[in-house]
Amino acid sequence: GTGSNILSALQDLFWLSKSKVEKQLQIISVLQWVLTFLIMGVACTLILMYILCTDCWAIAALYLAWLVFDWNTPKKGGRRSQWVRNWAIWRYFRDYFPIRLVKTHNLLTTRNYIFGYHPHGIMGLGAFCNFSTEATGVSQKFPGIRPYLATLAGNFRMPILRDYLMSGGICPVNRDSIDYILSKNGSGNAIIIVVGGAAESLNCTPGKNSVTLKNRKGFVKLALRHGADLVPVYSFGENEVYKQVIFEEDSWGRWVQKKFQKHIGFAPCIFHGRGLFSSNTWGLLPYPKPITTVVGEPITIPKIDNPSQREVDFYHSIYVDSLIKLFDKYKSKFGLPETEVLEVN
């Protein structure tokens, strides 16, 4: 009757509204992370300096005193918070793309691991969502394994930002931090290193699957020194979420990028995604393209205190072969043609 028709219409309206609200929450969750990535460190530093010049200077002074006392915490495994890692906002972040984590093999809690994450993309969105939050269930998929996503050490010199990053289990990508986690933090640790780094980000563009790996062997040497197993990880779709202006090798733009990379540690990219209110305009929001992160089979690594270059090269070649095999095995499943080849630079 009429009553049931009205009720049905109201239910349809309710679900439509709920869907729209969820979409807006997804956008907000991604936007806050993009702004965190781009400006939070500088913004917090400026705000702290401003507070020092106001009547509330004592608050800033107390935080700075705490900062001095707590300065080495990032190098000693950080200060992760399961509460932060389980925030609902990360589930909205996950669903915006969506992002998925695929497990192919079990990991032993009696071993330590170094995950090589590929490709870098512009912001490493898949790496963050999968390993610095619980949105894709990393702790359920790999029970007993503690993931540590390694990022630029300079981020941990920024007030407030450093604490925010540590709460997600993010650590500096330097030798002191990695040595501590792999030697003084027991077993069951997994350090995720985005091997290609800033150099790889300069070449990421939709439709291109390439990694900067041929001359990146430091992570292999670290694995040998600690006897940590190497695990290749490939994120299908990481390069699809932003469009970038790619400069030619001999251009002034590439020269500027390489100078920044050499002296500061990151390379400024000229990129864009979609707008905040429309997918047809340019903006800072990434395009909502699926990102599927596949964790491959661990490569057993012996413990060698002082590995020779020959030993490093040997295990590096095994790692490269394993990464290519992982890519070839799953590429067609996640939307790539069988003819697609992973370019290793």
Side-chain angles (χ1 to χ4, degrees), residues 141-304:
K141 288 182 169 69
F142 300 105
I145 301 297
R146 293 180 298 276
Y148 293 86
L149 177 61
T151 188
L152 290 175
N155 289 326
F156 296 89
R157 301 186 188 104
M158 301 285 189
I160 310 301
L161 175 63
R162 67 189 292 277
D163 302 288
Y164 189 39
L165 295 178
M166 283 194 292
S167 68
I170 300 177
C171 68
V173 62
N174 58 33
R175 181 169 171 174
D176 288 344
S177 176
I178 294 172
D179 282 348
Y180 183 92
I181 292 170
L182 294 179
S183 63
K184 299 178 181 179
N185 201 41
S187 60
N189 302 291
I191 297 179
I192 298 88
I193 299 177
V194 186
V195 177
E200 191 173 84
S201 69
L202 297 179
N203 295 312
C204 69
T205 187
K208 186 175 183 179
N209 288 282
S210 66
V211 296
T212 301
L213 182 57
K214 280 184 179 178
N215 297 316
R216 299 296 176 104
K217 300 179 181 180
F219 73 105
V220 178
K221 190 172 184 178
L222 279 170
L224 285 165
R225 288 180 61 245
H226 293 284
D229 293 348
L230 289 171
V231 182
V233 179
Y234 197 86
S235 248
F236 294 90
E238 185 72 64
N239 285 346
E240 308 299 316
V241 297
Y242 280 112
K243 295 178 181 179
Q244 180 184 190
V245 176
I246 305 293
F247 293 102
E248 297 294 331
E249 279 300 323
D250 298 326
S251 66
W252 67 269
R254 183 54 63 99
W255 180 84
V256 170
Q257 289 176 322
K258 287 187 174 181
K259 286 296 181 182
F260 264 83
Q261 178 190 338
K262 180 180 179 180
H263 297 293
I264 301 178
F266 74 93
C269 302
I270 299 177
F271 65 93
H272 74 83
R274 53 156 291 183
L276 181 59
F277 301 107
S278 171
S279 58
N280 297 320
T281 58
W282 288 11
L284 289 176
L285 279 175
Y287 293 104
K289 304 288 186 179
I291 298 175
T292 305
T293 302
V294 183
V295 180
E297 182 177 4
I299 303 165
T300 302
I301 301 294
K303 188 178 187 303
I304 305 173

